[in-house]
Each structure stands twice: as structure tokens, then as C-alpha cells.
Amino acid sequence: MRLSEYFLPLLRDDPKEAEIVSHRYMLRAGLIRQASAGIYSWLPMGFRVLKKIEAIVREEQNRAGAIELLMPTIQSAELWRESGRYDDYGKEMLRIEDRSGREMLYGPTNEELITEIFRAGVNSYRDLPRNLYHIQWKFRDEIRPRFGVMRGREFLMKDGYSFDLDVESAKHSYNQMFVSYLRTFDRMGLKAIPMAADTGPIGGDLSHEFIILADTGESEVFCHQDLIDMDAPGADVDYGSDLQPEIDRWTNHYAATDELHDPAKFDELVPREKQVSARGIEVGHIFFFGTKYTEAMNCLVQGPDGKQIPLQCGSYGIGVSRLVGGIIEASHDENGIIWPEPVAPFRIGLLNLKVGDEKTDEACGALYQQLTAAGVEVLYDDRNERAGGKFATMDLIGLPWQIIVGPKGIKSGEVEVKNRASGDRESLSMDAVLNKFTH
Amino acid sequence: MRLSEYFLPLLRDDPKEAEIVSHRYMLRAGLIRQASAGIYSWLPMGFRVLKKIEAIVREEQNRAGAIELLMPTIQSAELWRESGRYDDYGKEMLRIEDRSGREMLYGPTNEELITEIFRAGVNSYRDLPRNLYHIQWKFRDEIRPRFGVMRGREFLMKDGYSFDLDVESAKHSYNQMFVSYLRTFDRMGLKAIPMAADTGPIGGDLSHEFIILADTGESEVFCHQDLIDMDAPGADVDYGSDLQPEIDRWTNHYAATDELHDPAKFDELVPREKQVSARGIEVGHIFFFGTKYTEAMNCLVQGPDGKQIPLQCGSYGIGVSRLVGGIIEASHDENGIIWPEPVAPFRIGLLNLKVGDEKTDEACGALYQQLTAAGVEVLYDDRNERAGGKFATMDLIGLPWQIIVGPKGIKSGEVEVKNRASGDRESLSMDAVLNKFTH
């Protein structure tokens, strides 16, 4: 993409409403624009990141055997009365009356709707287990939306729901998502730690939050150093096998959020030199809640013995839009964002330091054309601007690699390649640059 | 995908609420399920079709130089007061009050919001032209939603907006979308005819609808036979070139919807043997409306002479979810859907006629494994059901190809391949089948 033809409205100054670094950088780097309190438009650059994160979530859900569908944003109040949550949910639920006076709502989560779909479509134990998920916009009418996309009102979430015949099988479904979540966050360049959690309004008795570590995180977390050093399961993990040993590997160590932290236990279980206290951000949450919704909503199947059995269920959420902010909190410096490669909006920023200089234009044009043709995503800064401004912009938007092309280098047949994360620079010939990024 | 592990809730009988064939088949084939009046969940099979259509729309938008972003579903009433449309829009607009008493709405279209984004982000003529689009859920509170996804309340739409400095440049942007739309519908296996149209509540003085022909279409259309025989522009079309000759090629022929049809003119302009009267479905609509919103909302840029100029704009819509129904209306028979290959949820249905028979299972397993490994999308009916039921299901869900494997054929080393559209069948060796679909 040529920057001269792109839509990247940058802000020169820190927006005063932005209290945290991700919010500040997302506004300044032209990733988002606020539409109303807690509601954002995703500008082209931010949209690309959102889509990359969504794609990783989708791939890892599919790999784990979950099946994608899509439920609507607007739901009927009637359904929520069946589960008893319509009155419970409080003012966070955006309630709507349609033109015919029917009570509707903008879905904050989908346990009711998926249970209705399942009860209508599945009658026999032979059609179990199933894990259905969707990636859809949700709305929670926060009284004080803030921190940009980290606590917005309209947000994109992956929410999945497992249906099993018995508790043992349901725990396997839970474990599949546990493993899948470790892989999902790992692939985004994040270190995510699973922590036992309260179940809150979803209900149930088994739950884990997935917390990514970031110095600027919203809450304090405590855990064993070994958890931080542990590798996520590989792509060859067999989701059909018993995953409990892998789960145990992660849950045998102490890990707790501020709310559930027990200092005495921490000291007892974790040697002093392995005690980590850090800041974290919740990016995923999984729940096993058994028959809470299936009993209330009469979602039964016929078992092998002919009896009607209420299904055992879990639900599994990933904050897709929240992750964009979370990744920035975990990966930035004083000059701007540092995108991990798998979620970067473009892999390379190509800087033309002297637009109008024939040889520089020619070299940039050739690099842009050849890299793009090889499938490498390049943002080419071909604007007629000062070099200093271009450097600052590239650091701010945080693409993993910069290729810097100026008349001096071109004379000796070289361009400079800078790694945004490390700051390392090297001078390379044109051929070497192409080779580096296309092989 | 193995059908035994999929989520495909089929209906045996015609649902009585479904008045048209696409609605009937979408419910029966497990593509959608109604959540509330005019609001649908997209079950896994329907979701796959929706995503294929979305991907084609996206590719053709990007090819034409449009840039994707994503605006939220919930908008503030304030913005719509700026353009003067808040009061005009009537009861089709779903109006919402949030917990703080702010007036909000579920966006039925996005002229206001994109104009606000543009006025905040662009100040100079040097940053023009731009065409920004998004693919997002919309809501129109129809008084009588019906015909399934063809006239639903919550629907997925691609809406794009062009911003230009002057009328001439704006007409070029309009022409780019005109050509892009012809390509988009052509790639889905549809015959789309552009027809001059009224501009309705969007406003403006230049507008075309894109109507696909279907015997069961919602409205009557009249056109010249040559339009139907004309080929859409190729993938090598140069969007930077003057597209007017291509537009003229399409607009020089008579074509009109029922509302604008002029029988006398039709007789005058079209020789009797070239007169076509057919039924059609609107799937796209493009508008040029000049400065209607930019003047009302003060969206100005500095021109080359330093003067502030209100931008010249157009908007361009494609009914993404509506297209799923539209394609079925255009392509079905008495047994079910006939998916055009580019939008089919799977390319092949693999029927095992005798689950449990070792050799049949083995042959099916091998075909499934090898086709899937080659990137061919296969739905494998491995359920322990009667052959008759399997044939009926496959015809109903309408995958382009069926591979039918039974013990008899296996004995002579052959399987049967059926083309859903033509009904043609051939017996092929296992190798020949693999070769047919992987080369």
C-alpha cells in the first residue's frame, strides 16, 4: 500500500482523553477513531490488526474442532427471561424496544441464544459433543467506558459454547479450549498465564482467566516464574487425546489475580526467588457451568438408554478487539507501537527519504513492486515529507521492519534495514533485502 | 468436514412461514435459524456461504482501489441531526436510549459517520480521492420483515463511500464502483444488470441498481437481450483508465425496473425480438449525491488555490446477506439449492452408501483425506443412514459435486461423480476422481 493513497490520519499530539498508552497510540497512529463514548470506528490500519487477530483466533478454534457460525447482535428479551438473566443483568445490558413495542437487547453474551439453537437442532446423544463459536460484536453499556478499546461498550468477542452428554466429556471440551487459548495467545507473540477465576454472572464452578503480562496492565497478578518460562503446546497437539496432563502442567503452579491472591499460600507454595508479581490484562475467560442454561431452557437430548438428559456446557471467550489494545500495552516503547509480526498491519515500512530523486524513487518502486508481488505486506511511505517526520511516523505505527532508502545509500547500492523491536540496523544490497524478506 | 461431527440441523418439512423458495431452502438445509422476526442466526453451513460472498466482495473492492475499515453498529443520534436525517428517517431506524439517556441508533447506513471520519482526518486536496468501505451489520426495523434474509431487519451490507474534489473525479469513482459491481456479481455466477434508479432517501441525481435475474425475483424488469448476453469486465480491467466507454456499453441499452419502465420507450428503443421482460432481485445500489452530506456536515478540504471546498461524494452498497438468498432464487430446482462453485459452502459432497462396510469406509476415508489434504473442501456424509436419505440431503444442500461411493462400485474399482447443476453422472476410478478435483 502506498501511503500517499492510504487513509492514515495521524495525530501529532497526545489526545487528552487517553489515560493509557494503548489508547494514546491507537488514536495517534490512526488505528481507531471514537464514534461515541466507548464506541470506535476501526480505521484501515487498525482494521488490519483486528482482522489478523481474528484470523489467528479462528484458525486455532478450528484446529481444536470448534465449528464457526454467526449469531445476530440483536436478541429478544423473551429468551433471556427463559434463563432468568433478563432481570439479573442490570444496566450493562443495552435494552431496546422495536417499532412494534417488542423488548429486544444488544447481546452482551450468547449462552441463551446458542442454547436455543442447540435445543432446536440436536435431539440425540449421537450428535454430541459439539463446540460452536462465533466472532461477533457485543455491547455492554459500561457506566464509565474508558481506556479505548480495552473497556469499550461495543466490542468484538469470540465466544464459544460446548455441549456434552456428561461431565467427564465436558471437562475434555473445557481442556481443549484451555489448550487452544494457550496456543492462540502464544501465536500473537503474547505470554498468557491461565489463572483460576471467579465465574461471575456466567455461573458455574470451574473457570480460568487468561492474563497477558504487560507493565502497564490493569491489575496485579502473582505467579510462579516457571509459568512464564513454559512453552505453549505446539501445532501438533492432539486435541483428541487426554489433555489433562498438559492442563496440570499449567495449573499445578501458583497463579492468582489480585482478587484471589493469598499471600500466605504464595509464600508457602512458591520459593522466594520464583515469586513473580507483575501486572496483567485479561484477554480470555473460560467457564464450565454444567446444566445451568440447559436445565432452565429445557435443552435435552435422548441418551443411549432413551432417557432425556440436560446437556453439560461450557463457554469460552476471547476479547478480540480488546487484544489490539492488550498487545500494544505488552509491546511498545516511548516512540510508539512495536507490533509482533503475526499481528502487524504490514510487515514492512518502506521509507523513501527523497521523493522526487529519480534513483531513490526507482529503487523504492522496484522494492515495493517486488516485495508486494512476493506476497509481502509493505506500507510504502512515498509522501513528499521530511525524513525526520517519516522516521517518527514509522516508529509510531510500529511495523516490524523498516527499509530506509535514501540517495546516499543508493549511490553505494545499499539500503538500510531496521528492526523496530531491537532497533538493530544493517546495510544491505537491494538483492539481499529482497532475499531477506521473500525467503 | 465429516457430517457426523458437523452441525447441520435439517428440516424435513417445508416451514410454513417461508413464502419464497430461498427462505424455504435456507431453513430446510440448515443454513439459518430465525432468532426473532427478521433476525437470523447463520448456522455453520450458511455462515460458510456468507463468508465466501463477503470474500469476493472484499477482493473486488480492493482490486478497484477501495480501502476497508470498520465502523460500529451503534451510532449517536447527534450525528444524524447534523445531516438532518434523524427526524426524516422514520420508524425504520432502530432508536436506542443508553443508560445515561443519550439517544443512539443502530446504523441503517453510514453516510454521516464516514463523513465525520473524513472531515476529521483529511484537510487537503492532496489526500484525494479516497474510497472507503466496510462490511458491517445494519438494522432496518421493517414493519413486516419477511422472505428470510431477503428482507430481514438485521442484515450484512458492504457500504462504500467515495470522496472527490470535483464532479468529474467523483464520476470516475462512481464508474469504478459500477465496473467493480459487474465483476463482483459475475464472479458469484450471477447475471447482474445495471438499471437507472431513483435515489430515494440517500439523495442525489445519479444512481444505478444492480438487478440479478431470477424467475422467482421480487420485481419485474425490462431490458434489451444484449445486456444479458454481455460479458462482465475481466480481472485485468484498469481502474485507473477512463471507464466511461465500458459504462456506456452497459447503459446505452434499455433497462428498467417496473417503477421506471416506460412501455412506449421500450418499444421504440428495443426491437421486438430483443425485448426481455423478466423477474429480478436488487443486490447492489450505487449513488452519486455530490455535496449533500459534506455541505451539511462541513466536510471541506483546502483546494490547490487555498479555498475550502466541500467534497463530492457517492455511496455504494451491496447486500451481502441478501445475496445468499438471491443466489438461491437464481439457482435451484425442485430438489434443492444449486450452489455456483465460487460461493458453495463445500465444493464436494462425499456420500458413503454403506457405512460399516470395510472397503467402502476405506475408499471414502482415503478420498476424504487426500482431497482435504489437497485443499479441496469436502463434506463427507459418514452418517449411518439410508442411501435414499443421503441422496436427498445432498441435492437439498446443493454442493456442486457429489462423489458417491458404494460397495458395488468399489468391487469394480469405481465411484460415481455427479454434477449437481446438470445432473450428469460418470463412473471414475479413484485415481481419476482425485485427478479431476486436484488438478
Side-chain angles (χ1 to χ4, degrees), chain A residues 189-388:
Chain A
L190 298 168
K191 173 57 71 180
I193 315 274
M195 305 201 178
D198 278 336
T199 55
I202 303 284
D205 45 25
L206 176 62
S207 176
H208 286 90
E209 288 177 324
F210 289 76
I211 308 273
I212 57 169
L213 301 184
D215 289 344
T216 50
E218 62 200 352
S219 63
E220 206 169 1
V221 296
F222 304 86
C223 71
H224 194 294
Q225 175 67 42
D226 288 4
L227 276 172
I228 295 175
D229 300 335
M230 239 187 257
D231 284 333
D236 58 348
V237 59
D238 176 2
Y239 281 103
S241 71
D242 179 17
L243 300 168
Q244 197 58 47
E246 178 68 21
I247 308 301
D248 291 343
R249 194 164 77 92
W250 289 88
T251 53
N252 284 343
H253 289 294
Y254 185 93
T257 56
D258 207 6
E259 292 153 340
L260 298 181
H261 180 52
D262 178 343
K265 219 169 147 190
F266 192 41
D267 279 339
E268 184 197 321
L269 294 173
V270 185
R272 185 61 51 109
E273 74 277 11
K274 293 277 193 180
Q275 291 184 0
V276 175
S277 97
R279 300 202 68 82
I281 297 165
E282 185 199 335
V283 289
H285 205 157
I286 62 178
F287 302 88
F288 167 63
F289 46 71
T291 59
K292 176 175 156 124
Y293 300 94
T294 51
E295 280 192 356
M297 295 179 63
N298 214 31
C299 178
L300 312 169
V301 299
Q302 193 167 46
D305 58 0
K307 275 194 198 138
Q308 294 286 313
I309 307 165
L311 293 171
Q312 298 284 343
C313 300
S315 74
Y316 314 94
I318 292 179
V320 176
S321 50
R322 167 170 252 254
L323 269 164
V324 182
I327 290 169
I328 295 174
E329 293 291 335
S331 184
H332 68 269
D333 64 16
E334 69 282 7
N335 297 320
I337 301 165
I338 302 173
W339 290 117
E341 288 216 26
V343 301
F346 297 90
R347 187 171 173 212
I348 296 173
L350 173 62
L351 289 82
N352 182 331
L353 297 189
K354 197 151 188 188
V355 171
D357 175 72
E358 195 179 334
K359 294 222 162 120
T360 310
D361 288 352
E362 206 176 277
C364 285
L367 278 172
Y368 178 63
Q369 194 277 322
Q370 289 172 65
L371 287 169
T372 305
V376 182
E377 293 171 316
V378 179
L379 182 66
Y380 172 21
D381 190 347
D382 60 343
R383 299 169 307 157
N384 196 0
E385 302 271 345
R386 289 182 311 107

Side-chain angles (χ1 to χ4, degrees), chain A residues 144-197:
Chain A
R144 208 160 89 84
R146 54 185 180 152
F147 303 149
V149 302
M150 299 286 287
R151 197 179 298 174
R153 294 199 291 169
E154 186 169 330
F155 59 98
L156 186 61
M157 190 167 136
K158 187 287 295 186
D159 43 323
Y161 305 88
S162 64
F163 294 85
D164 283 271
L165 197 63
D166 55 46
V167 172
E168 195 187 350
S169 163
K171 289 212 165 151
H172 179 63
S173 297
Y174 184 90
N175 288 350
Q176 287 176 322
M177 288 297 104
F178 192 114
V179 168
S180 166
Y181 277 33
L182 289 171
R183 280 194 46 73
T184 301
F185 301 124
D186 182 64
R187 279 190 57 190
M188 295 175 194
L190 298 168
K191 173 57 71 180
I193 315 274
M195 305 201 178

Side-chain angles (χ1 to χ4, degrees), chain A residues 1 3-7 9 33-37 39-44 47 50-51 54 58 67-76 91-92 94-99 102 104 106 113 116-118 120-122 126 130 132 136-137 139 141-143 153-154, chain B residues 1 3-7 9 33-37 39-44 47 50-51 54 58 67-76 91-92 94-99 102 104 106 113 116-118 120-122 126 130 132 136-137 139 141-143 153-154:
Chain A
M1 178 61 64
L3 196 41
S4 66
E5 298 173 354
Y6 202 45
F7 186 77
R33 175 168 175 79
Q34 182 173 301
S36 323
I39 304 179
Y40 294 88
S41 294
W42 293 78
L43 303 182
F47 178 72
L50 193 66
K51 278 287 169 187
E54 186 185 286
R58 174 173 290 129
I67 302 169
E68 189 167 10
L69 43 60
L70 187 61
M71 290 173 272
T73 61
I74 302 296
Q75 304 181 19
S76 87
K91 290 196 166 181
E92 268 197 18
L94 187 67
R95 291 155 210 263
I96 302 169
E97 198 175 290
D98 75 7
R99 69 187 291 174
R102 275 176 294 218
M104 315 289 290
Y106 199 122
L113 192 47
E116 194 283 327
I117 289 169
F118 212 82
V122 172
R126 282 188 299 263
R130 285 297 183 279
L132 303 172
Q136 177 62 294
W137 293 90
F139 203 97
D141 201 0
E142 300 268 357
I143 184 123
R153 294 199 291 169
E154 186 169 330
Chain B
M1 179 60 66
L3 195 41
S4 66
E5 299 173 353
Y6 203 44
F7 186 75
R33 177 169 173 77
Q34 183 174 300
S36 323
I39 304 178
Y40 294 88
S41 293
W42 293 79
L43 304 182
F47 177 73
L50 193 67
K51 279 286 166 188
E54 185 184 288
R58 174 173 290 129
I67 301 170
E68 189 169 10
L69 44 60
L70 186 61
M71 290 173 271
T73 61
I74 301 296
Q75 303 181 20
S76 87
K91 290 196 166 180
E92 268 198 19
L94 187 66
R95 290 156 209 263
I96 301 169
E97 198 175 289
D98 74 7
R99 68 187 292 175
R102 275 176 292 220
M104 315 290 289
Y106 199 122
L113 192 46
E116 194 283 327
I117 288 169
F118 213 83
V122 172
R126 282 188 298 265
R130 286 295 184 280
L132 303 172
Q136 177 62 294
W137 292 90
F139 203 96
D141 202 0
E142 300 269 356
I143 183 121
R153 295 199 289 169
E154 186 169 330

